[in-house]
């Protein structure tokens, strides 16, 4: 199956550094050197955003991802603030229309705050995070764009809520990459903190302090971590490797991201 991944970052090449996107690029290529990875920046975003009205930064995911959908059998959006920590074979294999990973942690929180679930319209463990979305159907990206237009500024999580409405519609065959009973963490479900913090922006990644390195793989709660996603908690220095992880895990992440040991990996 002809496959490509695609990400976007709003800004110029400097943003690829300041937002940590270079770590996503390096880690992705560490595990998948043969799969194309497209990175779109400000010029491409501005051009494409003019083709759909209304439009804002909160609705760019399917709009930008579908730009390559005619050229590949499988297209995967990956957020720019992600670190790939193992092969993503669960995405590359299987019969599905759309593959997604959940947003909420095993403890039924989003980070250390309340879970997202469309106000109870979907199950807590079947609310997807838009940071990794794969599809074998170009129509899916078009449907998501259209739903974003229809529901523009209607929901608090914007395109992510619309994604979950589309997933729950039954139109597409959905593969969940990391249901809670599966020993895998894809996307952001591995990042959580004690609910006592009530959504404190510094505590969303508290769980990452307990990640262990075993046989060159990362484990938490008896689950293999496939991706680390920094989403949430708009705080300074959140991309610093020395902030969340043990020294051993930090060194491992620096290695797969091609960062010399003497630097913090901001």
């Amino acid at each position: 199956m002809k496959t490509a991944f695609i990400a976007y970052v709003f800004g110029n090449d400097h943003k690829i550094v300041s937002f940590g996107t270079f770590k996503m690029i390096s880690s992705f290529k560490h595990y998948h050197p043969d799969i194309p990875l497209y990175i779109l920046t400000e010029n491409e975003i501005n051009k494409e955003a003019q083709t759909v009205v209304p439009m804002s930064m909160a609705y760019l995911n399917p709009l930008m991802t579908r730009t390559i959908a005619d050229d590949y059998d499988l297209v995967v959006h990956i957020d720019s603030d992600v670190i790939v920590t193992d092969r993503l074979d669960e995405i590359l294999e299987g019969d599905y229309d759309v593959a997604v990973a959940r947003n909420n942690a095993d403890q039924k929180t989003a980070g250390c705050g309340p879970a997202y679930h469309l106000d109870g319209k979907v199950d807590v463990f079947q609310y997807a995070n838009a940071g990794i979305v794969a599809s074998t159907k170009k129509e899916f990206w078009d449907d998501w764009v259209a739903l974003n237009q229809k529901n523009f500024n209607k929901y608090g999580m914007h395109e992510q809520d619309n994604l979950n409405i589309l997933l729950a519609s039954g139109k597409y065959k959905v593969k969940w990459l990391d249901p809670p009973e599966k020993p895998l963490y894809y996307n952001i479900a591995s990042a959580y903190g004690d609910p006592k913090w009530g959504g404190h922006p510094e505590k969303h990644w508290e769980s990452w302090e307990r990640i262990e390195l075993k046989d060159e793989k990362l484990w938490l709660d008896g689950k293999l971590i496939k991706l680390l996603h920094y989403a949430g908690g708009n705080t300074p220095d959140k991309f610093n490797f020395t902030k969340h992880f043990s020294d051993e895990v930090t060194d491992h992440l620096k290695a797969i991201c091609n960062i010399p040991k003497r630097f913090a990996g901001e």
Side-chain angles (χ1 to χ4, degrees):
M1 183 179 289
K2 192 177 180 184
T3 300
F5 282 61
I6 185 169
Y8 65 86
V9 56
F10 193 78
N12 54 26
D13 290 346
H14 174 70
K15 282 290 185 181
I16 292 178
V17 175
S18 65
F19 200 60
T21 307
F22 71 96
K23 290 184 279 190
M24 184 274 286
I25 297 170
S26 296
S27 61
F28 177 83
K29 286 300 181 180
H30 181 85
Y31 293 103
H32 295 289
D34 300 326
I35 296 180
L37 172 62
Y38 291 82
I39 304 294
L40 306 182
T41 54
E42 190 170 307
N43 288 341
E44 294 86 5
I45 292 170
N46 287 337
K47 179 179 179 180
E48 204 63 24
Q50 295 177 36
T51 66
V52 175
V53 177
M55 177 53 58
S56 79
M57 285 286 293
Y59 297 97
L60 292 175
N61 185 326
L63 182 71
M64 303 312 298
T65 305
R66 72 176 181 180
T67 59
I68 63 169
D70 285 331
D71 301 319
Y72 293 93
D73 304 309
L74 171 61
V75 173
V76 186
H77 164 83
I78 185 169
D79 266 10
S80 56
D81 59 344
V82 161
I83 298 170
V84 179
T85 56
D86 202 354
R87 284 189 54 83
L88 306 179
D89 291 331
E90 290 78 13
I91 294 175
L92 304 178
E93 301 167 353
D95 177 23
Y96 65 82
D97 297 331
V98 184
V100 289
R102 59 193 168 97
N103 184 85
N104 300 314
D106 289 1
Q107 64 179 16
K108 298 185 178 182
T109 63
C112 63
Y116 295 117
H117 47 61
L118 286 173
D119 295 326
K121 294 183 178 67
V122 299
D123 186 272
V124 166
F125 294 136
Q126 291 192 332
Y127 181 89
N129 182 280
I132 188 85
V133 183
S135 183
T136 59
K137 305 288 185 183
K138 182 180 185 299
E139 181 185 3
F140 165 75
W141 305 108
D142 294 334
D143 282 349
W144 190 4
V145 169
L147 194 59
N148 283 341
Q149 290 179 272
K150 178 182 177 182
N151 293 335
F152 188 76
N153 283 344
K154 184 176 180 179
Y155 298 105
M157 295 302 292
H158 304 292
E159 67 181 7
Q160 183 167 281
D161 280 345
N162 289 324
L163 167 65
N164 282 278
I165 291 169
L166 188 55
L167 296 176
S169 71
K171 181 174 181 178
Y172 294 101
K173 182 178 181 180
V174 179
K175 177 179 182 178
W176 288 90
L177 298 168
D178 60 348
E181 67 274 8
K182 195 170 184 177
L184 291 176
Y185 274 133
Y186 257 93
N187 209 327
I188 196 161
S190 70
Y192 60 88
D194 193 315
K196 72 180 182 183
W197 298 117
H200 191 289
E202 292 281 356
K203 299 296 185 179
H204 287 305
W205 309 279
E206 201 172 39
S207 58
W208 286 2
E209 298 171 7
R210 296 186 288 104
I211 292 175
E212 297 178 286
L213 180 66
K214 300 177 183 178
D215 298 323
E216 298 301 302
K217 296 181 183 294
L218 299 183
W219 295 85
L220 175 67
D221 307 324
K223 297 186 178 189
L224 177 63
I225 298 176
K226 294 281 187 161
L227 295 172
L228 291 169
H229 189 183
Y230 279 89
N234 187 19
T235 63
D237 204 30
K238 76 174 185 177
F239 300 108
N240 186 335
F241 277 159
T242 64
K243 189 177 178 71
H244 304 294
F245 309 102
S246 69
D247 291 345
E248 184 180 43
V249 171
T250 294
D251 287 344
H252 175 74
L253 291 173
K254 287 180 183 179
I256 64 177
C257 292
N258 295 331
I259 296 170
K261 286 187 176 180
R262 65 177 291 177
F263 299 111
E266 294 93 336

